[in-house]
Amino acid sequence: MIGGEKMVYDVAVAGGGPAGLAAAISAYDSGAKKVIILERDVRLGGILLQCIHSGFGLHYFGEEFTGPEYALRFVDEVKKRDIETKTNAMVISLQKESGVHIITVVCADTGVEEIEAKAVVFATGCRERTRGALRIAGTRPAGVLTAGAAQRFVNIEGYLPGRRIVILGSGDIGLIMARRLTLEGCEVKMVCEVMPHSQGLARNMTQCLENFHIPLHLSTTVVNIHGDSRVKGVTIAKVDENKRPIAGTEEYVECDTLLLSVGLIPENEVCSSSGVALDGCTKGPIVNQYMQTNVEGVFACGNAVHVHDTVDFVTEESLIAGKMAGKYALSKIGERGRVLVYPVAAGEGVNAVVPQRIDIYPDTKGEKARITFRATDVLRNVEVRAYLSSALLCKKTLQAVRPGEMQRIEIPHETILSAAGEALLQGEITISIARRV
Amino acid sequence: MKKFMTCIICPMGCQLTAEKGESGDIAVYGNTCPRGKKYAIKELTYPTRTLTCTVRVIDGERPLVAAKSIGEVPRDMQVECMSVVRRYAVTAPVKIGDVLIKDILGTGSNIVAVENVNK
């Protein structure tokens, strides 16, 4: 864009991690030839570049890869296509003007730039909950960091965050870092988890904690942090069923580092300030099954929409987002006016349903809408049911469900249309989980 | 003698029971695929793991290169292998597939780069 006419891209993708890479590839393959990826880091690949452990790609590739390997496969696919990429470029705002999206990007080399695109895909990932969000009491010494920040220091920069570690949170990032730091010669004293059960995958309990004899203290949290300039220790305590610390159960643990693995929050500052409506439960944009937000031509995918457990799901969802963004740019999506809109909501035993809306365009009877959701409890032998108002659409049997594992169900458009009947009844689709009798 | 374990082969994490019979044969229950059975038997006889780590890079655009073992190493030798990895450094450029450490601690497995690091 040096001089002359300003180029209007077909699709601009904010974020060059696995979500953005997949979206750019499918946008390009759908026919949109002017595609650009805007990535704020120095190279493409996103968070996977610091996830040096293996476990990625088992569904998508049928093979287990480390994070960098999985990411680089998609970077290679981007390079094979004529897709423009700009690294060291951070998207800071989005506006719409005369039917075109204007993206403001801060670039390390050229300063503030404006990029115009017909369609935009937000693949901005998520960030970690911090100590401030948890309001842990105590002094503010060095040595308190989120597990992902520690992962960046260890795996990319080559620094240990400390030597005697306590980890709060048994989600996968916490478990993975427990192992990683032990392998790098640290003493990981314990992992504390406020819930009565571990939040991460069962396999990580084995390969990260048990195999290294790292104790896991359930129903336990950190109530105080001690130390002047550097962490000297933490006070842990048992909690009751309301996660409130139980007086008298406090215990001092000597350590020099506290890692927090206590939740991920989708990154949506830019898109929400540009008018994209967010879901209070997922903290991500409200989307339809094509990953389209409430703003015409703005799509979202990956952890920015809802926090995923496996990157394979991110890839599948992002391929859909990119394909539809490409079709939108080429004006190939059906007329908005003739769409049948069905809101999707969480029923009994379910939360974090995505998409929050199924839009049935004309001539899409043969398609299936993929809905993901999470169970609110740990349950065995369950049936997942999808209803349109009181009419059963479909059901699925599952051996076990738990909140830490994203589930999905596919509903054929045809099934929804049949239930809606000739009168094309409106109604809400609900997804619920019940124990099988 | 029954041993209970979680299979680590895939994210499903099937809960397995392995029982060594009098003849020395190991019976496995709870697996939903054949790899789970193989894993359980290995865990009882010769448990191994893929080692993933970083190796220091000299004169590279980044200080570390992500690496993994091709072939597994004994589960209880992981920490010892890491003390060897920590003493190594490779000079840029490093390419995906480059063997950084050959036959680590006599395990027969090589530590290999999984990403590129240019000069």
Side-chain angles (χ1 to χ4, degrees), chain A residues 248-392:
Chain A
T249 65
E250 294 91 352
E251 199 185 306
Y252 181 77
V253 181
E254 192 270 329
C255 62
D256 65 11
T257 310
L258 174 65
L259 290 197
L260 303 172
S261 167
V262 291
L264 296 172
I265 305 165
E267 182 90 61
N268 289 298
E269 298 293 329
V270 176
C271 75
S272 67
S273 61
S274 74
V276 170
L278 299 186
D279 178 337
C281 173
T282 59
K283 307 281 191 271
I286 294 171
V287 293
N288 67 8
Q289 75 276 35
Y290 303 118
M291 308 310 291
Q292 165 125 29
T293 67
N294 62 309
V295 177
E296 285 277 317
V298 177
F299 298 77
C301 55
N303 276 349
V305 176
H306 51 156
V307 176
H308 288 256
D309 315 311
T310 64
V311 73
D312 311 63
F313 274 34
V314 167
T315 297
E316 282 178 24
E317 166 180 291
S318 305
L319 290 172
I320 293 171
K323 178 176 167 189
M324 294 315 285
K327 280 178 140 183
Y328 178 87
L330 302 172
S331 305
K332 290 213 178 111
I333 294 187
E335 287 166 46
R336 201 101 171 126
R338 290 182 56 210
V339 182
L340 294 169
V341 178
Y342 294 95
V344 186
E348 187 77 36
V350 164
N351 69 14
V353 177
V354 173
Q356 297 89 339
R357 197 177 76 239
I358 291 182
D359 292 341
I360 303 188
Y361 284 86
D363 304 319
T364 61
K365 234 163 72 156
E367 285 180 27
K368 287 185 193 172
R370 210 166 121 272
I371 300 177
T372 64
F373 56 93
R374 289 184 185 275
T376 51
D377 299 292
V378 179
L379 288 174
R380 289 199 176 281
N381 203 17
V382 298
E383 196 169 74
V384 178
R385 292 193 197 129
Y387 285 92
L388 172 60
S389 300
S390 55
L392 178 69

Side-chain angles (χ1 to χ4, degrees), chain A residues 43 58 180 183 203 211, chain B residues 8 10 49 54 86 115:
Chain A
R43 50 181 175 144
L58 208 60
R180 182 78 182 106
L183 288 173
R203 79 193 289 215
N211 290 165
Chain B
I8 64 166
C10 88
R49 297 284 184 268
T54 50
R86 267 198 290 287
E115 56 175 354

